[in-house]
Amino acid sequence: MVKNAATRSSAAATEAAPSAPEPGPYEPLLGRIPILELSPQVDEGLWAATAFSGEVIPFRATAFREGHDKIGVDLILLDPAGQQTEHHMHPLTAGTDRWEVEVQLDQTGLWRYRVQAYADEYATWHHNAEVKVPAGIDVELMLTMGHDLLVTASKDKRRSTAERRHLSEAAKVVADTKRPVDERFAAAVDERIQQVLTERPVVGLPTLSATRAIQVERTRAGVGSWYEFFPRSEGAKQLPDGSWKSGTFRTAAKRLPEVAAMGFDVVYLPPIHPIGRTFRKGPNNTLDAGENDPGSPWAIGSAEGGHDAIHPDLGTEKDFVFFLGKAKQAGLEVALDLALQASPDHPWVTEHPEWFTTLPDGTIAYAENPPKKYQDIYPINFDNDYEGLRQEVLRIVRHWMSLGVRIFRVDNPHTKPLHFWEWLIHTVNATDPDVVFLAEAFTRPALLRTLAKAGFQQSYTYFTWRNTKEELEEFLHSLAHETADYLRPNLFVNTPDILTEYLQFGGPAAFKVRAAIAATAAPTWGVYSGYELYENVARPGAEEYIDNEKYEYRPRDYAKAQAQGRSLAGYLTMLNRARSEHPALRQLRNLHLHYSEDDSILVYSKYLDGKFTRTGKPDAVIVVANVDPHSVRETIVHLDVTALGLPLGSQFEVKDRVTGQRWTWGADDYVRLDAFTEPVHILAVRPL
């Protein structure tokens, strides 16, 4: 019975199905010369790849043809103004059919590129002739073919008059049968002829790839040193009765020159909005807040207002604009937190209850990330009124933009629909392309990476949890060579929520190691205030700070710590100065891993060709880090000197940016790194 029913259902489906169209003639997807695996690109061109102004991009493609004839490959690049340039690509590892050319993109806007592959008629002839002519095989035939190629090339009006004349004269020599064969052949392959026909080949079978796009954004979208602090703690004072007087934007502004003096160029502020009272958290995330406990800034909203309001303790909108102005005077940009969530006291809760999730018992669901619970925060539900919510968020973002904010650090973007972020970021950047969004997304790889594809200019990463040599090698290689077409990492060493065991128990060496790697491995990095004071005590059972600043005021005496020798500020200043003086450190894709014989000695370099630097001189930096903060390590490091722009067998001078010491190095070098003194070498390379 069941069998018959299934048969009848199948028959009915067959009768209802439309008849398939007659297949037409098949059109090949491959061109005359196959061009595959273009790079940079994102998901076969679904989104534009991204870059920042001044970034050096390795354009790559796989191209080949049947048989043994030679091909050439060119990059055809169209800048945002419509100006076209062509760049010859060169083959990479033999046998891979992979081609590359590096180009520095400096103009912001949407760039487009295609790759053209073609039969290189002269290179094919040269390859065959240099075998046949000396061997006396098909000599006159080969010389006739060479003559014809030179004549064709001499008629190319895109060449200079001098080039055309030289090609024409060489063709006459090749055709002169009264001359010796060696002389005729030499005329066809002399050094200048080869140079001219390499720069502008004789092209046959030209084939174009698909077009791909690259969105080039302002430099700050990809390069920066971030410093996070809570404005309420800067200038906060405890009163005789034990209560606190909050710091303000005007007291916080006094800290800005010190931050700039350490070489930072972005100041990131946690939420500055009114904080709810319902279920307000007390010290160390307790559920019983006192009357004077300030609460978490991420519990946004109270009777004083929501996401477009300023906490009264911090000052007024005028005070905030004053703070922005002082930051600009100090050479700093201000990044503002965008946290799409609400306290139970937020105006949205009564005005738009549909923007939240109501449980069967009638209560609104609060935020959870088990085992963490955030009873003072209601998450947003976009599915009940998507259009209303996205217009409200756009209004909020544009409000802060109108006051001068151009960078937003987005809290927990992975807990909101990704198509919303794609819409918001592209809508904002369509009118204000200088606005930068940083994704604070510690989440699954696919989700983290897709947020970057959707438009986030920067992303937090798993850096804080990558501490061993093996972990760091895999992690840094992935950032520089696997996801760099769309994901720009911001390597924060700590956050108010993240104090790793490595920092808790690694002592001062751990703080130096993490800062040195973050500052040199990626163009963008950051620290949360207190890092320079070696703050390392965690709340028992948690990977976050005890007496966490999220829940209380934490004024710090930076000057006293400096005077007592308990400050890392000088080290951070040194790192940022190295970044400013070494353009190689402000690139992402140029990281090259080297080998050491010790399981705790991490070695990598960054190199930038002189044609991409302002001085015209190449720049190379080697970083050697002892990632075991409890040991003294001695080992041999083995360098690929070609990754430093030097020939095999070269010796060169290195100067340590940390200590000022100098050594002569080569491919194999002894190092001794004492975690209890200086655990990291940052070596500037100078050819001898």
Coordinates of all heavy atoms in Angstrom, one line a residue, residues 342-395:
A342 N 20.6 47.0 25.2 CA 20.0 48.0 26.0 C 19.8 47.5 27.4 O 19.7 46.3 27.7 CB 18.6 48.3 25.4
S343 N 19.9 48.4 28.4 CA 19.5 48.1 29.7 C 18.0 48.0 29.8 O 17.3 48.5 29.0 CB 20.1 49.1 30.7 OG 19.2 50.2 30.8
P344 N 17.5 47.4 30.9 CA 16.0 47.4 31.1 C 15.4 48.8 31.2 O 14.2 48.9 31.0 CB 15.9 46.6 32.4 CG 17.1 45.7 32.5 CD 18.2 46.6 31.9
D345 N 16.3 49.8 31.4 CA 15.8 51.2 31.6 C 15.9 52.0 30.3 O 15.5 53.2 30.3 CB 16.5 51.9 32.7 CG 16.5 51.1 34.0 OD1 15.4 50.5 34.3 OD2 17.5 51.1 34.7
H346 N 16.3 51.4 29.2 CA 16.5 52.1 28.0 C 15.1 52.6 27.4 O 14.1 51.8 27.5 CB 17.2 51.2 26.9 CG 17.7 51.9 25.7 ND1 17.0 52.5 24.8 CD2 19.0 52.1 25.3 CE1 17.7 53.1 23.9 NE2 19.0 52.8 24.1
P347 N 15.0 53.8 26.9 CA 13.7 54.2 26.3 C 13.2 53.2 25.3 O 11.9 53.2 25.1 CB 14.1 55.5 25.7 CG 15.3 56.0 26.4 CD 16.0 54.8 26.8
W348 N 14.0 52.5 24.6 CA 13.5 51.5 23.6 C 12.6 50.5 24.2 O 11.7 50.0 23.6 CB 14.7 50.8 22.9 CG 15.4 51.6 22.0 CD1 15.1 52.8 21.4 CD2 16.7 51.2 21.4 NE1 16.1 53.2 20.5 CE2 17.1 52.2 20.5 CE3 17.5 50.1 21.5 CZ2 18.3 52.2 19.8 CZ3 18.7 50.1 20.8 CH2 19.1 51.1 19.9
V349 N 12.8 50.1 25.5 CA 12.1 49.0 26.1 C 10.6 49.3 26.2 O 9.8 48.5 26.0 CB 12.7 48.7 27.5 CG1 11.9 47.6 28.2 CG2 14.1 48.2 27.4
T350 N 10.3 50.6 26.5 CA 8.9 51.0 26.6 C 8.3 51.5 25.2 O 7.2 51.2 24.9 CB 8.7 52.1 27.6 OG1 9.5 53.2 27.3 CG2 8.9 51.5 29.0
E351 N 9.2 52.1 24.4 CA 8.8 52.7 23.2 C 8.7 51.7 22.0 O 7.9 51.8 21.1 CB 9.7 53.9 22.8 CG 9.7 55.0 23.7 CD 10.7 56.1 23.4 OE1 11.4 55.9 22.4 OE2 10.9 57.0 24.2
H352 N 9.6 50.7 22.1 CA 9.7 49.7 21.0 C 9.9 48.3 21.6 O 11.0 47.7 21.4 CB 10.8 50.0 20.0 CG 10.5 51.2 19.2 ND1 9.7 51.2 18.1 CD2 11.0 52.5 19.4 CE1 9.7 52.4 17.6 NE2 10.4 53.2 18.3
P353 N 9.0 47.8 22.4 CA 9.2 46.4 23.0 C 9.4 45.3 21.9 O 10.0 44.3 22.2 CB 7.9 46.2 23.8 CG 6.9 47.1 23.2 CD 7.7 48.3 22.8
E354 N 8.9 45.6 20.7 CA 9.1 44.6 19.6 C 10.5 44.5 19.2 O 10.9 43.5 18.5 CB 8.2 45.0 18.4 CG 8.7 46.2 17.6 CD 8.3 47.6 18.2 OE1 7.7 47.6 19.4 OE2 8.4 48.6 17.6
W355 N 11.4 45.3 19.7 CA 12.8 45.2 19.3 C 13.6 44.3 20.2 O 14.8 44.1 20.1 CB 13.5 46.6 19.4 CG 13.0 47.5 18.3 CD1 12.2 47.2 17.2 CD2 13.4 48.9 18.1 NE1 12.0 48.3 16.4 CE2 12.7 49.4 16.9 CE3 14.2 49.8 18.8 CZ2 12.8 50.7 16.5 CZ3 14.3 51.1 18.4 CH2 13.6 51.5 17.2
F356 N 12.9 43.6 21.1 CA 13.5 42.6 22.0 C 12.8 41.3 22.0 O 11.7 41.2 21.3 CB 13.4 43.2 23.5 CG 14.1 44.5 23.6 CD1 13.3 45.7 23.5 CD2 15.4 44.7 23.8 CE1 13.9 46.9 23.6 CE2 16.0 45.9 23.9 CZ 15.3 47.1 23.8
T357 N 13.3 40.3 22.6 CA 12.7 39.0 22.6 C 11.9 38.8 23.9 O 12.5 38.8 25.0 CB 13.8 37.9 22.5 OG1 14.5 38.0 21.3 CG2 13.2 36.5 22.6
T358 N 10.6 38.5 23.8 CA 9.8 38.3 25.0 C 9.6 36.8 25.2 O 9.2 36.1 24.3 CB 8.4 38.9 24.8 OG1 8.6 40.4 24.6 CG2 7.6 38.7 26.0
L359 N 9.9 36.3 26.4 CA 9.8 34.9 26.7 C 8.4 34.5 27.0 O 7.5 35.4 27.3 CB 10.7 34.6 27.9 CG 12.2 34.9 27.7 CD1 13.0 34.7 29.0 CD2 12.8 34.0 26.6
P360 N 8.1 33.2 27.1 CA 6.7 32.8 27.3 C 6.1 33.3 28.6 O 4.9 33.4 28.8 CB 6.8 31.2 27.3 CG 8.0 31.0 26.4 CD 9.0 32.1 26.7
D361 N 7.0 33.6 29.6 CA 6.5 34.0 30.9 C 6.3 35.5 30.9 O 6.0 36.1 32.0 CB 7.4 33.6 32.1 CG 8.8 34.3 31.9 OD1 9.0 35.0 31.0 OD2 9.7 34.0 32.8
G362 N 6.5 36.2 29.8 CA 6.2 37.6 29.6 C 7.4 38.5 29.9 O 7.4 39.7 29.7
T363 N 8.6 37.9 30.4 CA 9.8 38.7 30.6 C 10.6 38.8 29.4 O 10.4 38.1 28.4 CB 10.6 38.0 31.7 OG1 11.1 36.7 31.2 CG2 9.9 37.9 33.0
I364 N 11.4 39.8 29.4 CA 12.3 40.0 28.2 C 13.6 39.3 28.5 O 14.2 39.3 29.6 CB 12.6 41.5 28.0 CG1 11.3 42.3 27.6 CG2 13.7 41.8 26.9 CD1 11.4 43.7 27.4
A365 N 14.1 38.6 27.5 CA 15.3 37.8 27.6 C 16.5 38.7 27.8 O 16.7 39.6 27.0 CB 15.5 36.9 26.4
Y366 N 17.4 38.4 28.8 CA 18.6 39.2 29.0 C 19.7 38.4 28.3 O 19.6 37.3 27.8 CB 18.9 39.5 30.4 CG 19.1 38.2 31.3 CD1 20.3 37.4 31.2 CD2 18.1 37.9 32.2 CE1 20.4 36.3 32.1 CE2 18.3 36.8 33.0 CZ 19.4 36.0 33.0 OH 19.6 34.9 33.8
A367 N 20.9 39.1 28.2 CA 22.0 38.6 27.4 C 22.7 37.5 28.2 O 22.9 37.6 29.4 CB 23.0 39.7 27.0
E368 N 23.1 36.4 27.5 CA 23.9 35.4 28.1 C 24.9 34.9 27.1 O 24.8 34.9 25.9 CB 23.0 34.2 28.4 CG 22.0 34.4 29.5 CD 21.2 33.1 29.9 OE1 21.8 32.3 30.7 OE2 20.1 32.9 29.3
N369 N 26.1 34.5 27.6 CA 27.1 33.8 26.9 C 27.7 32.7 27.9 O 28.7 32.9 28.5 CB 28.2 34.7 26.4 CG 29.3 34.0 25.6 OD1 29.1 32.9 25.1 ND2 30.4 34.7 25.5
P370 N 26.9 31.7 28.1 CA 27.1 30.7 29.2 C 28.6 30.4 29.2 O 29.3 30.1 28.2 CB 26.3 29.5 28.8 CG 25.2 30.0 27.9 CD 25.8 31.2 27.2
P371 N 29.2 30.4 30.5 CA 28.5 30.6 31.7 C 28.3 32.0 32.1 O 27.8 32.3 33.2 CB 29.4 29.9 32.7 CG 30.8 30.2 32.1 CD 30.6 30.1 30.7
K372 N 28.7 33.0 31.3 CA 28.5 34.4 31.6 C 27.0 34.8 31.5 O 26.4 34.4 30.5 CB 29.4 35.3 30.7 CG 30.9 35.1 30.9 CD 31.7 36.1 30.1 CE 33.1 35.9 30.3 NZ 33.9 36.9 29.4
K373 N 26.5 35.6 32.4 CA 25.2 36.1 32.4 C 25.2 37.6 32.5 O 26.0 38.2 33.3 CB 24.3 35.5 33.5 CG 24.1 34.0 33.3 CD 23.2 33.5 34.4 CE 22.9 32.0 34.3 NZ 21.9 31.5 35.3
Y374 N 24.4 38.3 31.7 CA 24.4 39.8 31.7 C 23.0 40.2 32.0 O 22.2 40.6 31.1 CB 24.9 40.3 30.4 CG 26.3 39.8 30.0 CD1 26.4 38.7 29.2 CD2 27.4 40.5 30.5 CE1 27.7 38.3 28.8 CE2 28.7 40.0 30.1 CZ 28.8 38.9 29.3 OH 30.1 38.5 29.0
Q375 N 22.5 40.1 33.3 CA 21.2 40.4 33.6 C 20.8 41.9 33.4 O 19.7 42.3 33.3 CB 20.9 40.0 35.1 CG 21.0 38.6 35.4 CD 22.4 38.1 35.8 OE1 23.4 38.8 35.5 NE2 22.5 37.0 36.5
D376 N 21.9 42.7 33.3 CA 21.6 44.2 33.1 C 21.6 44.6 31.6 O 21.5 45.8 31.3 CB 22.8 45.0 33.8 CG 24.2 44.5 33.3 OD1 24.3 43.4 32.7 OD2 25.1 45.3 33.5
I377 N 21.5 43.6 30.7 CA 21.5 43.9 29.3 C 20.5 43.1 28.6 O 20.4 41.9 28.7 CB 22.9 43.6 28.7 CG1 24.0 44.5 29.2 CG2 22.9 43.7 27.2 CD1 25.4 44.2 28.8
Y378 N 19.7 43.8 27.8 CA 18.7 43.1 26.9 C 19.3 43.1 25.5 O 19.6 44.2 24.9 CB 17.4 43.8 26.8 CG 16.5 43.7 28.1 CD1 15.5 44.6 28.3 CD2 16.7 42.7 29.0 CE1 14.7 44.5 29.4 CE2 15.9 42.6 30.1 CZ 14.9 43.5 30.3 OH 14.1 43.4 31.4
P379 N 19.4 41.9 24.8 CA 19.9 41.9 23.4 C 18.8 42.3 22.5 O 17.6 42.2 22.8 CB 20.3 40.5 23.2 CG 19.5 39.7 24.2 CD 19.3 40.6 25.4
I380 N 19.1 42.8 21.3 CA 18.2 43.3 20.3 C 17.7 42.1 19.5 O 18.5 41.2 19.1 CB 18.8 44.4 19.4 CG1 19.4 45.5 20.3 CG2 17.8 44.9 18.4 CD1 18.3 46.2 21.1
N381 N 16.5 42.1 19.1 CA 15.9 41.1 18.2 C 15.5 41.8 16.9 O 14.6 42.6 16.8 CB 14.7 40.4 18.8 CG 14.2 39.3 17.9 OD1 14.3 39.3 16.7 ND2 13.5 38.3 18.6
F382 N 16.3 41.6 15.8 CA 16.1 42.2 14.6 C 14.9 41.7 13.7 O 14.5 42.3 12.8 CB 17.4 42.2 13.7 CG 18.4 43.2 14.1 CD1 19.3 43.0 15.1 CD2 18.5 44.4 13.3 CE1 20.2 43.9 15.5 CE2 19.5 45.3 13.7 CZ 20.3 45.1 14.7
D383 N 14.4 40.5 14.1 CA 13.5 39.8 13.3 C 12.1 40.3 13.4 O 11.2 40.0 12.6 CB 13.5 38.3 13.5 CG 14.9 37.7 13.1 OD1 15.4 38.2 12.1 OD2 15.4 36.8 13.8
N384 N 11.8 41.1 14.5 CA 10.4 41.6 14.7 C 10.1 42.9 13.9 O 9.0 43.1 13.4 CB 10.1 41.8 16.1 CG 10.2 40.5 16.9 OD1 9.9 39.4 16.4 ND2 10.4 40.6 18.2
D385 N 11.2 43.7 13.8 CA 11.0 45.0 13.1 C 12.3 45.4 12.5 O 13.0 46.3 12.9 CB 10.5 46.1 14.0 CG 10.3 47.4 13.3 OD1 10.2 47.4 12.1 OD2 10.2 48.5 14.0
Y386 N 12.7 44.6 11.5 CA 14.1 44.8 10.9 C 14.2 46.2 10.3 O 15.2 46.9 10.6 CB 14.3 43.8 9.8 CG 15.6 43.9 9.0 CD1 16.8 43.7 9.7 CD2 15.6 44.3 7.7 CE1 18.0 43.9 9.0 CE2 16.8 44.5 7.0 CZ 18.0 44.3 7.6 OH 19.2 44.4 7.0
E387 N 13.3 46.7 9.6 CA 13.4 48.0 8.9 C 13.4 49.1 10.0 O 14.3 50.0 9.8 CB 12.2 48.2 8.0 CG 12.3 49.5 7.2 CD 13.5 49.6 6.3 OE1 14.0 48.6 5.9 OE2 14.0 50.8 6.1
G388 N 12.6 49.0 11.0 CA 12.6 50.0 12.0 C 13.9 50.1 12.8 O 14.5 51.2 13.0
L389 N 14.5 48.9 13.1 CA 15.7 48.9 13.8 C 16.9 49.4 13.0 O 17.7 50.2 13.5 CB 16.0 47.5 14.3 CG 15.7 47.2 15.8 CD1 15.8 45.7 16.1 CD2 16.6 48.0 16.7
R390 N 17.0 49.0 11.7 CA 18.1 49.4 11.0 C 18.1 50.9 10.7 O 19.2 51.5 10.7 CB 18.3 48.6 9.7 CG 17.3 48.9 8.6 CD 17.7 48.1 7.3 NE 17.0 48.5 6.1 CZ 17.2 48.1 4.9 NH1 18.2 47.2 4.7 NH2 16.6 48.6 3.9
Q391 N 17.0 51.5 10.5 CA 16.9 52.9 10.4 C 17.3 53.7 11.6 O 17.9 54.7 11.6 CB 15.5 53.4 9.9 CG 15.2 52.9 8.5 CD 16.1 53.4 7.4 OE1 16.7 54.5 7.5 NE2 16.3 52.6 6.4
E392 N 16.9 53.1 12.8 CA 17.3 53.7 14.1 C 18.8 53.6 14.3 O 19.4 54.6 14.7 CB 16.6 53.0 15.2 CG 17.0 53.4 16.6 CD 16.6 54.8 17.0 OE1 16.1 55.6 16.1 OE2 16.9 55.2 18.2
V393 N 19.4 52.5 14.0 CA 20.9 52.4 14.1 C 21.6 53.3 13.2 O 22.6 54.0 13.5 CB 21.3 50.9 13.9 CG1 22.8 50.8 14.0 CG2 20.7 50.0 15.0
L394 N 21.1 53.4 11.9 CA 21.7 54.3 11.0 C 21.6 55.8 11.5 O 22.6 56.6 11.4 CB 21.0 54.2 9.6 CG 21.6 55.2 8.5 CD1 23.0 54.9 8.2 CD2 20.7 55.0 7.3
R395 N 20.5 56.1 12.1 CA 20.3 57.5 12.7 C 21.4 57.7 13.8 O 22.0 58.8 13.8 CB 18.9 57.6 13.2 CG 18.6 59.0 13.8 CD 17.3 59.1 14.6 NE 17.4 58.3 15.8 CZ 17.9 58.7 16.9 NH1 18.4 59.9 17.0 NH2 17.9 58.0 18.0

